[in-house]
Amino acid sequence: MTNNARISVVIPCFRVTRHVLDVIARIPSDVERIYAVDDACPDGSGGYIETHCKDPRVVVLRNAVNLGVGGAVATGYRRALDDGMHIVVKIDGDGQMDPALLPQFVAPISAGQADYTKGNRFFSVDRVRQMPLVRLIGNAGLSFVNKMVSGYWGVMDPTNGYTAIHTAMLAHMPLDRLERRYFFESDMLYQLSLLRAVVRDVPIHARYADEVSGLSIANTLMRFPGKYATRFFKRFFYNYLLRDFNAGSIETLLGVLLISSGSIFGLLRWISSAQTGIPASAGTVMLAALPIILGAQLILSALQYDVENQPRQPIHPSLT
């Protein structure tokens, strides 16, 4: 499956005792280490695995307090780094992800074609039809927003938790500052964009049985917009102002300046007309509209530049 790469799997464990043993049993034999992270599970997932699982590859890790899926995965990532692993695959313990697909996630990284791979449930139209409508709409919306925030315009399904990463990338990521809850996968893409890592989608299908998603729609609508906005402006500052200044930088700055000036001028003219009762002339309207139109064209051009500026050369070979 790999070019002598040491492969490990991280399984965040929180109330997964019904499925986790079957998940572990179906992990391919080429995997050297399996880290089952008991995230302060009230069902005692760690103890349950130690008692009932005889697979010598399994190492049970425990978080003293519940850190969420992101915190649990980060615990596994740190141990994989300490153990000298090369590639780390993250699989949920609830049985919705097929371990048999693991080679498809590892192969692009092992071949030096990607730094990070992630599942994409939107690849097959037939499979998409089986997805619950709420998840379908929510993931489609989040995918578009995430494209703008991370700059990975070619990836879909940002909240998909079936992922693989080279540990050379993990060594350069702020694991202590990664989001710990359900924004974890999106935050990973943002952090990878700052490193200019190459991300590749892997077509998969998910199983939807009797598990209930812990991702609240209300919580998503309340908390995710602020997190996305913060990371969008940070990415622009880091990649287009601090570390580079290019055509996209100029187009964005001029576009914002023109739209702002045109909007402010038009608003002031409108207030003046409302107060005096004198309609604004055609020339005045054009003086307000023209900067807005030109600014919008520049913003669209900047977006096109961002789409074409996606990283295409994996960096983990040079880091290792």
Side-chain angles (χ1 to χ4, degrees):
M1 179 165 60
T2 63
N3 302 323
N4 298 319
R6 302 183 66 190
I7 307 167
S8 60
V9 170
V10 172
I11 305 177
C13 298
F14 190 83
R15 291 179 173 170
V16 294
T17 53
R18 286 190 300 167
H19 305 283
V20 68
L21 295 182
D22 178 63
V23 171
I24 292 173
R26 291 189 290 118
I27 293 176
S29 60
D30 286 350
V31 172
E32 181 176 337
R33 203 69 53 84
I34 301 171
Y35 303 108
V37 185
D38 184 334
D39 194 28
C41 175
D43 297 340
S45 298
Y48 179 82
I49 294 171
E50 288 176 329
T51 301
H52 297 87
C53 182
K54 305 305 179 184
D55 192 325
R57 302 175 297 170
V58 175
V59 176
V60 174
L61 307 176
R62 288 180 170 84
N63 288 335
V65 296
N66 180 262
L67 299 180
V69 61
V73 175
T75 297
Y77 281 166
R78 292 190 192 94
R79 182 59 180 269
L81 282 168
D82 292 341
D83 290 348
M85 296 293 115
H86 298 144
I87 299 174
V88 189
V89 183
K90 181 259 183 180
I91 299 179
D92 288 342
D94 58 9
Q96 293 188 16
M97 300 173 182
D98 187 359
L101 298 176
L102 187 144
Q104 299 180 34
F105 287 80
V106 171
I109 301 175
S110 179
Q113 299 171 352
D115 299 304
Y116 181 80
T117 54
K118 53 173 289 298
N120 178 7
R121 294 166 291 181
F122 291 85
F123 184 80
S124 169
V125 175
D126 290 336
R127 296 295 182 181
V128 168
R129 290 173 180 170
Q130 299 176 15
M131 185 179 294
L133 181 61
V134 173
R135 294 194 187 193
L136 177 62
I137 295 174
N139 276 281
L142 287 175
S143 291
F144 178 75
V145 174
N146 195 80
K147 290 173 185 285
M148 295 190 64
V149 172
S150 68
Y152 290 116
W153 293 91
V155 304
M156 284 288 289
D157 201 6
T159 60
N160 194 288
Y162 204 154
T163 65
I165 188 171
H166 198 285
T167 51
M169 307 304 304
L170 293 177
H172 290 78
M173 296 184 69
L175 297 180
D176 291 334
R177 298 201 304 271
L178 288 175
E179 282 286 331
R180 294 182 171 183
R181 304 286 171 185
Y182 291 105
F183 196 72
F184 169 72
E185 289 84 4
S186 296
D187 196 29
M188 281 289 293
L189 289 174
Y190 160 73
Q191 295 292 345
L192 289 165
S193 73
L194 299 185
L195 296 174
R196 298 288 295 169
V198 172
V199 176
R200 174 177 292 190
D201 273 349
V202 176
I204 67 169
H205 65 271
R207 308 174 185 179
Y208 299 103
D210 56 348
E211 295 79 17
V212 178
S213 174
L215 184 58
S216 165
I217 296 178
N219 187 57
T220 300
L221 294 176
M222 290 178 61
R223 297 188 179 183
F224 277 27
K227 295 179 184 293
Y228 275 129
T230 300
R231 284 157 179 79
F232 173 79
F233 288 113
K234 283 185 176 180
R235 182 175 76 88
F236 176 78
F237 175 75
Y238 291 142
N239 289 352
Y240 284 93
L241 297 179
L242 182 62
R243 298 193 301 190
D244 192 12
F245 195 85
N246 47 48
S249 310
I250 297 173
E251 290 167 344
T252 302
L253 294 175
L254 284 179
V256 171
L257 177 62
L258 287 172
I259 292 175
S260 300
S261 60
S263 300
I264 293 173
F265 178 79
L267 179 61
L268 293 176
R269 292 295 89 195
W270 180 81
I271 293 175
S272 176
S273 296
Q275 291 176 341
T276 61
I278 301 175
S281 65
T284 300
V285 173
M286 285 304 300
L287 284 175
L290 188 58
I292 295 175
I293 295 173
L294 292 176
Q297 290 294 326
L298 285 170
I299 293 297
L300 289 176
S301 181
L303 285 175
Q304 180 62 33
Y305 182 91
D306 195 48
V307 171
E308 297 175 353
N309 194 37
Q310 294 181 79
R312 307 190 188 283
Q313 183 65 37
I315 62 174
H316 81 259
S318 62
L319 295 177
T320 55

